[in-house]
Amino acid sequence: MPSIEQLEKLLAADPPDPFTLYALAQEYAKRGETERAIAFYDRSIAVSPDDGYTYFHKARALQSAGRVPEATAAVRAGIAAARRAGDNKALNELGGLLDELE
């Protein structure tokens, strides 16, 4: 995975790129920088609202911060996104996470 610095350069070249936004979110989540991670997940969702996995990982970040109600809401939004996209794999994984959170 590219470093945050490399990803920031990619983002500067293409600010609405959902993959770069998602990758930055993942990197910040790995560092434990939950708020920054969530901000990048939200930016990725804004440009690619039907990617269920972005919601999944946003929910995991929220869960790790003890923000379970927000994580549950993110999962529910992700389930709707996965349904819109017809992504049954993401739908199953989000369903499993919802069971875990409830």
Side-chain angles (χ1 to χ4, degrees):
M1 179 66 85
S3 69
I4 287 177
E5 294 75 24
Q6 291 168 321
L7 290 167
E8 290 284 357
K9 286 179 185 176
L10 291 172
L11 188 62
D14 187 7
D17 179 49
F19 173 77
T20 304
L21 293 165
Y22 173 80
L24 277 163
Q26 291 289 85
E27 289 302 307
Y28 282 118
K30 284 182 201 173
R31 285 186 174 186
E33 295 183 43
T34 304
E35 292 307 314
R36 288 189 91 175
I38 291 167
F40 278 103
Y41 288 128
D42 285 341
R43 287 177 63 187
S44 182
I45 288 167
V47 295
S48 186
D50 293 340
D51 182 358
Y53 286 104
T54 304
Y55 295 90
F56 178 92
H57 289 287
K58 176 184 176 182
R60 283 284 189 206
L62 288 162
Q63 180 187 30
S64 74
R67 295 162 57 182
V68 174
E70 291 173 83
T72 301
V75 169
R76 291 198 170 136
I79 288 170
R83 283 189 178 133
R84 285 191 306 270
D87 187 342
N88 290 327
K89 186 172 189 275
L91 191 58
N92 287 336
E93 290 186 36
L94 285 156
L97 181 53
L98 184 60
D99 290 342
E100 181 183 322
L101 292 169
E102 292 185 326

Coordinates of all heavy atoms in Angstrom, one line a residue:
M1 N 0.8 -1.2 0.0 CA 0.0 0.0 0.0 C 0.9 1.2 0.0 O 1.9 1.3 0.7 CB -0.9 0.0 1.2 CG -1.8 1.1 1.4 SD -3.1 1.4 0.2 CE -4.4 0.3 0.8
P2 N 0.5 2.2 -0.8 CA 1.3 3.5 -0.8 C 1.2 4.2 0.6 O 0.3 4.0 1.3 CB 0.6 4.3 -1.9 CG -0.2 3.4 -2.7 CD -0.5 2.2 -1.8
S3 N 2.2 5.0 0.8 CA 2.2 5.7 2.1 C 1.2 6.8 2.0 O 0.7 7.2 1.0 CB 3.6 6.4 2.3 OG 3.8 7.4 1.4
I4 N 0.9 7.4 3.2 CA -0.1 8.5 3.2 C 0.4 9.7 2.4 O -0.4 10.3 1.7 CB -0.3 8.9 4.7 CG1 -1.2 7.9 5.4 CG2 -1.0 10.3 4.8 CD1 -1.5 8.1 6.8
E5 N 1.7 9.9 2.4 CA 2.3 11.0 1.6 C 2.0 10.8 0.1 O 1.7 11.7 -0.6 CB 3.8 11.2 1.9 CG 4.1 11.6 3.3 CD 3.9 10.5 4.4 OE1 4.0 9.3 4.1 OE2 3.6 10.9 5.6
Q6 N 2.3 9.5 -0.3 CA 2.0 9.2 -1.7 C 0.6 9.3 -2.1 O 0.2 9.8 -3.1 CB 2.5 7.8 -2.0 CG 4.0 7.6 -2.0 CD 4.4 6.2 -1.9 OE1 3.8 5.3 -1.3 NE2 5.5 5.9 -2.7
L7 N -0.3 8.9 -1.2 CA -1.7 9.0 -1.4 C -2.2 10.4 -1.5 O -3.1 10.8 -2.3 CB -2.5 8.2 -0.3 CG -2.4 6.7 -0.4 CD1 -2.9 6.0 0.8 CD2 -3.1 6.1 -1.7
E8 N -1.6 11.2 -0.6 CA -2.0 12.7 -0.6 C -1.6 13.3 -2.0 O -2.4 14.1 -2.5 CB -1.3 13.4 0.5 CG -1.8 13.1 1.9 CD -3.2 13.7 2.2 OE1 -3.7 14.5 1.4 OE2 -3.7 13.4 3.3
K9 N -0.5 12.9 -2.5 CA -0.1 13.4 -3.9 C -1.1 12.9 -4.9 O -1.5 13.7 -5.8 CB 1.3 12.9 -4.2 CG 2.4 13.7 -3.4 CD 3.8 13.2 -3.8 CE 4.8 13.8 -2.9 NZ 6.2 13.3 -3.2
L10 N -1.5 11.7 -4.9 CA -2.5 11.2 -5.8 C -3.8 11.9 -5.7 O -4.4 12.3 -6.6 CB -2.7 9.7 -5.6 CG -1.6 8.7 -6.0 CD1 -1.9 7.3 -5.5 CD2 -1.3 8.8 -7.5
L11 N -4.2 12.2 -4.4 CA -5.4 12.9 -4.2 C -5.3 14.3 -4.7 O -6.3 14.8 -5.3 CB -5.7 12.9 -2.7 CG -7.1 13.5 -2.3 CD1 -8.2 12.6 -2.9 CD2 -7.2 13.5 -0.8
A12 N -4.2 15.0 -4.6 CA -4.0 16.3 -5.1 C -4.2 16.4 -6.6 O -4.8 17.3 -7.2 CB -2.7 16.9 -4.8
A13 N -3.8 15.3 -7.3 CA -4.0 15.2 -8.8 C -5.4 14.9 -9.2 O -5.8 15.2 -10.3 CB -3.0 14.1 -9.3
D14 N -6.2 14.2 -8.3 CA -7.5 13.8 -8.6 C -8.4 13.8 -7.3 O -8.6 12.7 -6.8 CB -7.5 12.4 -9.3 CG -8.9 12.0 -9.8 OD1 -9.8 12.8 -9.8 OD2 -9.0 10.8 -10.3
P15 N -8.8 14.9 -6.8 CA -9.5 15.0 -5.6 C -10.7 14.2 -5.4 O -11.0 13.7 -4.3 CB -9.8 16.5 -5.4 CG -8.8 17.2 -6.3 CD -8.6 16.2 -7.4
P16 N -11.5 13.9 -6.4 CA -12.7 13.1 -6.2 C -12.5 11.6 -6.4 O -13.5 10.9 -6.5 CB -13.7 13.7 -7.2 CG -12.9 14.1 -8.3 CD -11.6 14.6 -7.7
D17 N -11.3 11.1 -6.4 CA -11.0 9.7 -6.7 C -11.4 8.9 -5.5 O -10.8 9.0 -4.4 CB -9.5 9.5 -7.0 CG -9.3 8.0 -7.3 OD1 -10.0 7.4 -8.1 OD2 -8.3 7.5 -6.7
P18 N -12.5 8.1 -5.6 CA -13.0 7.3 -4.5 C -12.0 6.3 -3.9 O -11.9 6.1 -2.7 CB -14.2 6.7 -4.9 CG -14.2 6.7 -6.4 CD -13.3 7.8 -6.8
F19 N -11.1 5.7 -4.8 CA -10.2 4.7 -4.3 C -9.1 5.4 -3.5 O -8.7 4.9 -2.4 CB -9.5 4.0 -5.5 CG -8.4 3.1 -5.0 CD1 -8.7 1.9 -4.4 CD2 -7.1 3.5 -5.1 CE1 -7.7 1.1 -3.9 CE2 -6.0 2.7 -4.6 CZ -6.3 1.5 -4.0
T20 N -8.6 6.5 -3.9 CA -7.6 7.2 -3.1 C -8.2 7.7 -1.8 O -7.5 7.6 -0.7 CB -7.0 8.4 -3.9 OG1 -6.5 7.9 -5.2 CG2 -5.9 9.1 -3.1
L21 N -9.4 8.2 -1.8 CA -10.0 8.6 -0.5 C -10.2 7.4 0.4 O -9.9 7.5 1.6 CB -11.4 9.3 -0.8 CG -11.3 10.6 -1.6 CD1 -12.7 10.9 -2.1 CD2 -10.8 11.7 -0.7
Y22 N -10.6 6.3 -0.2 CA -10.8 5.1 0.6 C -9.4 4.6 1.2 O -9.3 4.2 2.3 CB -11.4 4.0 -0.2 CG -11.5 2.6 0.4 CD1 -12.5 2.4 1.3 CD2 -10.6 1.7 0.1 CE1 -12.6 1.1 1.9 CE2 -10.7 0.4 0.7 CZ -11.7 0.1 1.6 OH -11.7 -1.1 2.2
A23 N -8.4 4.6 0.3 CA -7.1 4.2 0.7 C -6.5 5.1 1.9 O -5.9 4.5 2.8 CB -6.1 4.2 -0.5
L24 N -6.8 6.3 1.8 CA -6.3 7.2 2.8 C -7.1 6.9 4.1 O -6.5 6.9 5.2 CB -6.5 8.7 2.4 CG -5.4 9.3 1.6 CD1 -5.9 10.6 0.9 CD2 -4.2 9.6 2.5
A25 N -8.4 6.7 4.0 CA -9.2 6.3 5.2 C -8.6 5.1 5.9 O -8.4 5.0 7.1 CB -10.6 6.1 4.8
Q26 N -8.3 4.1 5.0 CA -7.7 2.8 5.6 C -6.4 3.0 6.3 O -6.1 2.5 7.3 CB -7.6 1.8 4.4 CG -8.8 1.3 3.8 CD -9.6 0.4 4.8 OE1 -10.3 0.8 5.7 NE2 -9.3 -0.9 4.7
E27 N -5.6 3.9 5.7 CA -4.2 4.1 6.3 C -4.4 4.9 7.6 O -3.7 4.5 8.6 CB -3.4 4.9 5.3 CG -2.9 4.1 4.1 CD -2.1 2.8 4.6 OE1 -1.2 3.0 5.4 OE2 -2.5 1.7 4.1
Y28 N -5.3 5.9 7.7 CA -5.5 6.6 8.9 C -6.1 5.6 10.0 O -5.8 5.7 11.1 CB -6.3 7.8 8.7 CG -5.5 9.0 8.1 CD1 -5.8 9.5 6.9 CD2 -4.4 9.5 8.8 CE1 -5.1 10.5 6.3 CE2 -3.7 10.5 8.3 CZ -4.0 11.0 7.0 OH -3.3 12.1 6.5
A29 N -7.0 4.8 9.5 CA -7.6 3.8 10.5 C -6.5 2.9 11.1 O -6.5 2.6 12.3 CB -8.7 3.0 9.8
K30 N -5.6 2.4 10.2 CA -4.5 1.6 10.7 C -3.7 2.3 11.8 O -3.1 1.7 12.7 CB -3.6 1.2 9.6 CG -4.1 0.1 8.7 CD -3.0 -0.2 7.6 CE -3.6 -0.9 6.4 NZ -2.7 -1.0 5.3
R31 N -3.5 3.6 11.6 CA -2.7 4.4 12.5 C -3.5 4.7 13.8 O -3.0 5.3 14.7 CB -2.3 5.7 11.9 CG -1.2 5.7 10.9 CD -0.9 7.1 10.5 NE 0.3 7.1 9.6 CZ 0.9 8.2 9.2 NH1 0.4 9.4 9.5 NH2 1.9 8.1 8.4
G32 N -4.8 4.4 13.8 CA -5.6 4.7 15.0 C -6.1 6.2 15.0 O -6.6 6.7 16.0
E33 N -6.0 6.8 13.8 CA -6.5 8.2 13.7 C -7.9 8.1 13.1 O -8.2 8.4 12.0 CB -5.6 9.0 12.7 CG -4.2 9.2 13.3 CD -3.3 10.0 12.4 OE1 -3.8 11.1 11.8 OE2 -2.1 9.7 12.2
T34 N -8.8 7.8 14.1 CA -10.2 7.4 13.7 C -10.9 8.6 13.1 O -11.6 8.4 12.1 CB -11.0 6.9 14.9 OG1 -10.2 5.8 15.5 CG2 -12.4 6.5 14.6
E35 N -10.8 9.8 13.6 CA -11.5 10.9 13.1 C -11.1 11.2 11.6 O -12.0 11.5 10.8 CB -11.4 12.2 14.0 CG -12.1 12.0 15.3 CD -13.5 11.6 15.2 OE1 -14.3 12.2 14.4 OE2 -13.9 10.7 16.0
R36 N -9.8 11.2 11.4 CA -9.4 11.4 10.0 C -9.8 10.3 9.1 O -10.2 10.6 8.0 CB -7.8 11.6 10.0 CG -7.4 12.9 10.6 CD -5.9 13.1 10.4 NE -5.8 13.8 9.1 CZ -4.6 14.3 8.7 NH1 -3.5 14.0 9.3 NH2 -4.6 14.9 7.6
A37 N -9.8 9.1 9.6 CA -10.2 8.0 8.8 C -11.7 8.2 8.4 O -12.1 8.0 7.2 CB -10.0 6.7 9.5
I38 N -12.5 8.5 9.4 CA -14.0 8.7 9.1 C -14.2 9.8 8.1 O -15.1 9.7 7.2 CB -14.7 8.9 10.5 CG1 -14.7 7.6 11.3 CG2 -16.2 9.3 10.2 CD1 -15.1 7.7 12.7
A39 N -13.5 10.8 8.3 CA -13.6 12.0 7.3 C -13.3 11.5 5.9 O -14.0 11.9 5.0 CB -12.7 13.1 7.7
F40 N -12.3 10.7 5.7 CA -12.0 10.2 4.4 C -13.0 9.2 3.9 O -13.3 9.1 2.7 CB -10.5 9.7 4.3 CG -9.5 10.8 4.1 CD1 -8.8 11.3 5.1 CD2 -9.4 11.4 2.8 CE1 -7.9 12.3 5.0 CE2 -8.5 12.5 2.7 CZ -7.7 12.9 3.7
Y41 N -13.5 8.3 4.8 CA -14.6 7.4 4.4 C -15.8 8.2 3.9 O -16.3 7.9 2.9 CB -15.0 6.5 5.6 CG -14.0 5.4 5.9 CD1 -13.6 5.3 7.2 CD2 -13.5 4.5 5.0 CE1 -12.7 4.3 7.6 CE2 -12.6 3.5 5.3 CZ -12.2 3.4 6.6 OH -11.3 2.4 7.0
D42 N -16.1 9.2 4.6 CA -17.2 10.1 4.3 C -17.0 10.7 2.9 O -18.0 10.8 2.1 CB -17.5 11.1 5.3 CG -18.2 10.5 6.5 OD1 -18.8 9.4 6.5 OD2 -18.1 11.2 7.6
R43 N -15.8 11.2 2.7 CA -15.5 11.8 1.3 C -15.6 10.8 0.2 O -16.2 11.0 -0.9 CB -14.2 12.5 1.3 CG -14.1 13.7 2.2 CD -12.8 14.3 2.2 NE -12.3 14.7 0.9 CZ -11.0 15.2 0.7 NH1 -10.2 15.3 1.7 NH2 -10.6 15.5 -0.5
S44 N -15.2 9.6 0.5 CA -15.3 8.5 -0.5 C -16.7 8.1 -0.8 O -17.1 7.9 -1.9 CB -14.5 7.3 0.0 OG -14.5 6.2 -1.0
I45 N -17.5 8.0 0.3 CA -18.9 7.7 0.2 C -19.6 8.8 -0.6 O -20.5 8.5 -1.5 CB -19.6 7.5 1.5 CG1 -19.1 6.2 2.2 CG2 -21.1 7.6 1.5 CD1 -19.4 6.1 3.6
A46 N -19.2 10.0 -0.4 CA -19.9 11.2 -1.2 C -19.7 11.0 -2.7 O -20.6 11.4 -3.4 CB -19.3 12.5 -0.7
V47 N -18.6 10.5 -3.1 CA -18.3 10.4 -4.6 C -18.7 9.0 -5.1 O -18.8 8.8 -6.3 CB -16.9 10.8 -5.0 CG1 -16.7 12.3 -4.7 CG2 -15.9 9.9 -4.3
S48 N -18.8 8.0 -4.2 CA -19.1 6.6 -4.6 C -20.1 6.0 -3.6 O -19.7 5.1 -2.8 CB -17.8 5.8 -4.7 OG -18.1 4.5 -5.2
P49 N -21.3 6.5 -3.6 CA -22.3 6.1 -2.5 C -22.8 4.7 -2.6 O -23.4 4.3 -1.6 CB -23.4 7.1 -2.8 CG -23.4 7.5 -4.2 CD -21.9 7.4 -4.5
D50 N -22.4 3.9 -3.6 CA -22.9 2.5 -3.6 C -21.9 1.5 -3.3 O -22.1 0.3 -3.5 CB -23.5 2.2 -5.0 CG -24.8 3.0 -5.3 OD1 -25.4 3.5 -4.3 OD2 -25.1 3.2 -6.5
D51 N -20.7 1.9 -2.7 CA -19.7 1.0 -2.4 C -19.9 0.6 -0.9 O -19.5 1.2 0.0 CB -18.3 1.7 -2.5 CG -17.2 0.7 -2.2 OD1 -17.4 -0.4 -1.8 OD2 -16.0 1.1 -2.3
G52 N -20.5 -0.6 -0.7 CA -20.8 -1.1 0.6 C -19.6 -1.3 1.5 O -19.7 -1.1 2.7
Y53 N -18.5 -1.6 0.9 CA -17.3 -1.9 1.7 C -16.8 -0.6 2.4 O -16.2 -0.7 3.5 CB -16.2 -2.6 0.9 CG -16.5 -4.0 0.6 CD1 -16.9 -4.4 -0.6 CD2 -16.4 -4.9 1.7 CE1 -17.3 -5.7 -0.8 CE2 -16.8 -6.3 1.4 CZ -17.2 -6.6 0.2 OH -17.5 -7.9 0.0
T54 N -17.0 0.5 1.8 CA -16.5 1.8 2.4 C -17.4 2.0 3.7 O -16.8 2.3 4.8 CB -16.7 3.0 1.5 OG1 -15.9 2.7 0.3 CG2 -16.1 4.2 2.1
Y55 N -18.6 1.7 3.6 CA -19.5 1.8 4.8 C -19.1 0.8 5.9 O -19.1 1.1 7.1 CB -21.0 1.6 4.5 CG -21.6 2.6 3.6 CD1 -21.5 2.5 2.2 CD2 -22.2 3.7 4.1 CE1 -22.1 3.4 1.4 CE2 -22.8 4.6 3.3 CZ -22.8 4.5 1.9 OH -23.4 5.4 1.1
F56 N -18.7 -0.4 5.4 CA -18.3 -1.5 6.3 C -17.1 -1.0 7.1 O -17.0 -1.1 8.4 CB -18.0 -2.7 5.5 CG -17.5 -3.9 6.4 CD1 -18.3 -4.8 6.9 CD2 -16.1 -4.0 6.6 CE1 -17.9 -5.9 7.6 CE2 -15.6 -5.1 7.4 CZ -16.5 -6.0 7.9
H57 N -16.1 -0.5 6.4 CA -14.9 -0.1 7.1 C -15.1 1.2 8.0 O -14.4 1.3 9.0 CB -13.7 0.0 6.1 CG -13.3 -1.3 5.6 ND1 -12.6 -2.2 6.4 CD2 -13.5 -1.9 4.4 CE1 -12.3 -3.3 5.7 NE2 -12.9 -3.1 4.5
K58 N -15.9 2.1 7.5 CA -16.3 3.2 8.3 C -16.9 2.7 9.6 O -16.6 3.2 10.7 CB -17.2 4.1 7.6 CG -17.7 5.3 8.4 CD -18.7 6.2 7.7 CE -19.2 7.2 8.7 NZ -20.3 8.1 8.1
A59 N -17.8 1.8 9.5 CA -18.5 1.2 10.7 C -17.5 0.6 11.7 O -17.5 0.7 12.9 CB -19.5 0.2 10.3
R60 N -16.5 -0.1 11.1 CA -15.4 -0.7 11.9 C -14.6 0.3 12.7 O -14.3 0.2 13.9 CB -14.5 -1.6 11.1 CG -15.1 -2.9 10.7 CD -15.0 -3.9 11.9 NE -15.3 -5.2 11.5 CZ -15.8 -6.1 12.3 NH1 -16.0 -5.8 13.5 NH2 -16.1 -7.3 11.8
A61 N -14.3 1.4 12.0 CA -13.6 2.5 12.6 C -14.4 3.1 13.8 O -13.9 3.3 14.9 CB -13.2 3.6 11.6
L62 N -15.7 3.3 13.5 CA -16.6 3.8 14.5 C -16.7 2.9 15.7 O -16.7 3.3 16.9 CB -18.0 4.1 14.0 CG -18.0 5.3 13.0 CD1 -19.3 5.3 12.2 CD2 -18.0 6.6 13.8
Q63 N -16.8 1.6 15.4 CA -16.9 0.6 16.4 C -15.6 0.6 17.3 O -15.7 0.5 18.5 CB -17.1 -0.8 15.8 CG -17.2 -1.9 16.8 CD -17.2 -3.3 16.1 OE1 -16.6 -3.5 15.0 NE2 -17.9 -4.3 16.7
S64 N -14.5 0.7 16.7 CA -13.2 0.7 17.5 C -13.1 1.9 18.4 O -12.4 1.9 19.4 CB -12.0 0.6 16.5 OG -11.8 1.8 15.9
A65 N -13.8 3.0 18.0 CA -13.9 4.2 18.8 C -15.0 4.1 19.9 O -15.2 5.1 20.6 CB -14.0 5.4 17.9
G66 N -15.7 3.0 19.9 CA -16.8 2.9 20.9 C -18.1 3.6 20.5 O -18.9 3.8 21.4
R67 N -18.2 4.0 19.3 CA -19.3 4.7 18.8 C -20.3 3.8 18.1 O -20.5 3.9 16.9 CB -18.8 5.9 17.9 CG -18.0 6.9 18.7 CD -17.1 7.8 17.9 NE -17.8 8.5 16.9 CZ -17.2 9.4 16.0 NH1 -15.9 9.5 16.1 NH2 -17.9 10.0 15.1
V68 N -20.8 2.8 18.8 CA -21.6 1.8 18.3 C -22.9 2.2 17.6 O -23.2 1.7 16.5 CB -21.9 0.7 19.4 CG1 -22.8 -0.4 18.9 CG2 -20.6 0.1 19.8
P69 N -23.6 3.2 18.2 CA -24.8 3.6 17.4 C -24.5 4.2 16.0 O -25.2 3.9 15.1 CB -25.5 4.7 18.3 CG -25.0 4.3 19.7 CD -23.6 3.8 19.5
E70 N -23.4 5.0 16.0 CA -23.0 5.5 14.7 C -22.5 4.4 13.7 O -22.8 4.4 12.5 CB -21.9 6.5 14.8 CG -22.3 7.8 15.5 CD -21.2 8.7 15.8 OE1 -20.7 9.4 14.9 OE2 -20.7 8.6 17.0
A71 N -21.8 3.4 14.3 CA -21.4 2.3 13.5 C -22.6 1.5 12.9 O -22.6 1.1 11.8 CB -20.5 1.3 14.3
T72 N -23.6 1.3 13.8 CA -24.8 0.6 13.3 C -25.5 1.4 12.2 O -25.9 0.8 11.2 CB -25.8 0.4 14.5 OG1 -25.1 -0.3 15.5 CG2 -27.0 -0.3 14.1
A73 N -25.5 2.7 12.3 CA -26.1 3.5 11.3 C -25.3 3.4 10.0 O -25.9 3.4 8.9 CB -26.2 5.0 11.7
A74 N -24.0 3.4 10.1 CA -23.2 3.2 8.9 C -23.4 1.9 8.2 O -23.4 1.8 7.0 CB -21.7 3.4 9.3
V75 N -23.5 0.9 9.0 CA -23.8 -0.5 8.5 C -25.1 -0.5 7.7 O -25.2 -1.0 6.6 CB -23.8 -1.6 9.5 CG1 -24.3 -2.9 9.0 CG2 -22.4 -1.8 10.1
R76 N -26.1 0.1 8.3 CA -27.5 0.2 7.7 C -27.4 0.9 6.4 O -28.0 0.5 5.4 CB -28.5 0.7 8.6 CG -28.8 -0.3 9.7 CD -30.0 0.0 10.5 NE -30.2 -1.1 11.4 CZ -30.6 -1.1 12.6 NH1 -30.9 0.1 13.1 NH2 -30.8 -2.1 13.3
A77 N -26.7 2.0 6.3 CA -26.5 2.8 5.1 C -25.7 1.9 4.1 O -26.0 1.9 2.9 CB -25.8 4.1 5.4
G78 N -24.7 1.2 4.5 CA -24.0 0.3 3.7 C -24.8 -0.8 3.1 O -24.7 -1.2 1.9
I79 N -25.7 -1.4 3.9 CA -26.6 -2.4 3.4 C -27.5 -1.8 2.3 O -27.7 -2.5 1.2 CB -27.5 -3.0 4.5 CG1 -26.6 -3.9 5.4 CG2 -28.7 -3.7 4.0 CD1 -27.3 -4.3 6.7
A80 N -28.0 -0.6 2.4 CA -28.8 0.0 1.4 C -27.9 0.2 0.1 O -28.4 -0.1 -1.0 CB -29.4 1.3 1.9
A81 N -26.7 0.6 0.3 CA -25.8 0.8 -0.8 C -25.5 -0.5 -1.5 O -25.5 -0.5 -2.8 CB -24.5 1.5 -0.3
A82 N -25.2 -1.5 -0.8 CA -24.9 -2.8 -1.4 C -26.1 -3.4 -2.1 O -26.0 -4.0 -3.2 CB -24.5 -3.8 -0.3
R83 N -27.3 -3.1 -1.6 CA -28.5 -3.5 -2.4 C -28.6 -2.8 -3.7 O -29.0 -3.4 -4.7 CB -29.8 -3.3 -1.5 CG -29.9 -4.4 -0.4 CD -31.2 -4.2 0.3 NE -31.3 -5.3 1.3 CZ -31.7 -5.1 2.5 NH1 -32.1 -4.0 3.0 NH2 -31.8 -6.2 3.3
R84 N -28.4 -1.5 -3.6 CA -28.5 -0.6 -4.8 C -27.5 -1.2 -5.9 O -27.8 -1.2 -7.1 CB -28.2 0.8 -4.5 CG -29.3 1.6 -3.9 CD -29.0 3.1 -3.8 NE -27.7 3.5 -3.3 CZ -27.5 3.7 -2.0 NH1 -28.5 3.6 -1.1 NH2 -26.3 4.1 -1.6
A85 N -26.3 -1.5 -5.4 CA -25.2 -2.0 -6.3 C -25.4 -3.5 -6.7 O -24.7 -3.9 -7.6 CB -23.9 -1.8 -5.7
G86 N -26.3 -4.2 -6.0 CA -26.4 -5.6 -6.3 C -25.2 -6.4 -5.8 O -24.9 -7.5 -6.4
D87 N -24.5 -5.9 -4.8 CA -23.3 -6.6 -4.3 C -23.7 -7.5 -3.1 O -23.7 -7.1 -2.0 CB -22.3 -5.5 -3.9 CG -21.0 -6.0 -3.5 OD1 -20.8 -7.3 -3.2 OD2 -20.0 -5.2 -3.4
N88 N -23.9 -8.7 -3.4 CA -24.4 -9.7 -2.4 C -23.3 -10.0 -1.4 O -23.5 -10.3 -0.3 CB -24.9 -11.0 -3.1 CG -26.2 -10.7 -3.7 OD1 -27.0 -9.9 -3.3 ND2 -26.5 -11.4 -4.8
K89 N -22.0 -10.0 -1.9 CA -20.9 -10.3 -0.9 C -20.8 -9.2 0.1 O -20.7 -9.5 1.3 CB -19.6 -10.4 -1.7 CG -18.4 -10.9 -0.8 CD -17.2 -11.2 -1.7 CE -16.1 -11.8 -0.9 NZ -15.3 -10.9 -0.2
A90 N -20.8 -8.0 -0.3 CA -20.8 -6.9 0.7 C -22.1 -6.9 1.6 O -22.0 -6.7 2.8 CB -20.7 -5.5 -0.1
L91 N -23.2 -7.2 1.0 CA -24.4 -7.3 1.7 C -24.3 -8.4 2.8 O -24.7 -8.1 4.0 CB -25.6 -7.7 0.8 CG -27.0 -7.5 1.3 CD1 -27.3 -6.1 1.8 CD2 -28.0 -7.9 0.2
N92 N -23.7 -9.5 2.5 CA -23.6 -10.5 3.5 C -22.6 -10.1 4.6 O -22.9 -10.3 5.8 CB -23.1 -11.8 2.9 CG -24.1 -12.5 2.1 OD1 -25.3 -12.4 2.4 ND2 -23.7 -13.4 1.1
E93 N -21.5 -9.5 4.3 CA -20.5 -9.0 5.3 C -21.1 -7.9 6.1 O -20.9 -7.9 7.4 CB -19.2 -8.6 4.6 CG -18.5 -9.8 4.0 CD -17.1 -9.4 3.4 OE1 -16.5 -8.6 4.0 OE2 -16.8 -10.0 2.4
L94 N -21.8 -7.0 5.5 CA -22.5 -6.0 6.3 C -23.6 -6.5 7.3 O -23.7 -6.1 8.4 CB -23.1 -4.9 5.4 CG -22.1 -4.0 4.7 CD1 -22.7 -3.4 3.4 CD2 -21.7 -2.9 5.7
G95 N -24.3 -7.5 6.8 CA -25.3 -8.2 7.6 C -24.6 -8.8 8.8 O -25.2 -8.8 10.0
G96 N -23.5 -9.5 8.6 CA -22.8 -10.1 9.7 C -22.3 -9.1 10.7 O -22.3 -9.3 11.9
L97 N -21.8 -7.9 10.2 CA -21.4 -6.9 11.1 C -22.5 -6.3 11.9 O -22.4 -6.0 13.1 CB -20.6 -5.8 10.3 CG -20.1 -4.6 11.1 CD1 -19.2 -5.1 12.3 CD2 -19.3 -3.6 10.2
L98 N -23.7 -6.1 11.2 CA -24.9 -5.6 11.9 C -25.3 -6.6 13.1 O -25.5 -6.1 14.2 CB -26.0 -5.5 11.0 CG -27.3 -4.8 11.5 CD1 -27.0 -3.4 12.1 CD2 -28.4 -4.8 10.5
D99 N -25.2 -7.9 12.8 CA -25.5 -8.8 13.9 C -24.5 -8.7 15.1 O -24.9 -8.7 16.2 CB -25.4 -10.3 13.4 CG -26.6 -10.6 12.4 OD1 -27.6 -9.9 12.4 OD2 -26.4 -11.6 11.7
E100 N -23.3 -8.4 14.7 CA -22.2 -8.3 15.8 C -22.5 -7.0 16.6 O -22.3 -7.0 17.8 CB -20.9 -8.2 15.1 CG -19.7 -8.0 16.0 CD -18.4 -7.9 15.2 OE1 -18.2 -8.6 14.2 OE2 -17.6 -7.1 15.6
L101 N -23.0 -5.9 15.9 CA -23.2 -4.7 16.6 C -24.4 -4.6 17.5 O -24.5 -3.9 18.4 CB -23.2 -3.5 15.6 CG -21.9 -3.2 14.9 CD1 -22.1 -2.3 13.7 CD2 -20.9 -2.7 15.9
E102 N -25.4 -5.4 17.1 CA -26.7 -5.4 17.8 C -26.8 -6.4 18.9 O -26.4 -7.0 19.5 CB -27.9 -5.6 16.8 CG -28.0 -4.5 15.9 CD -29.2 -4.6 14.9 OE1 -29.6 -5.7 14.5 OE2 -29.7 -3.5 14.6

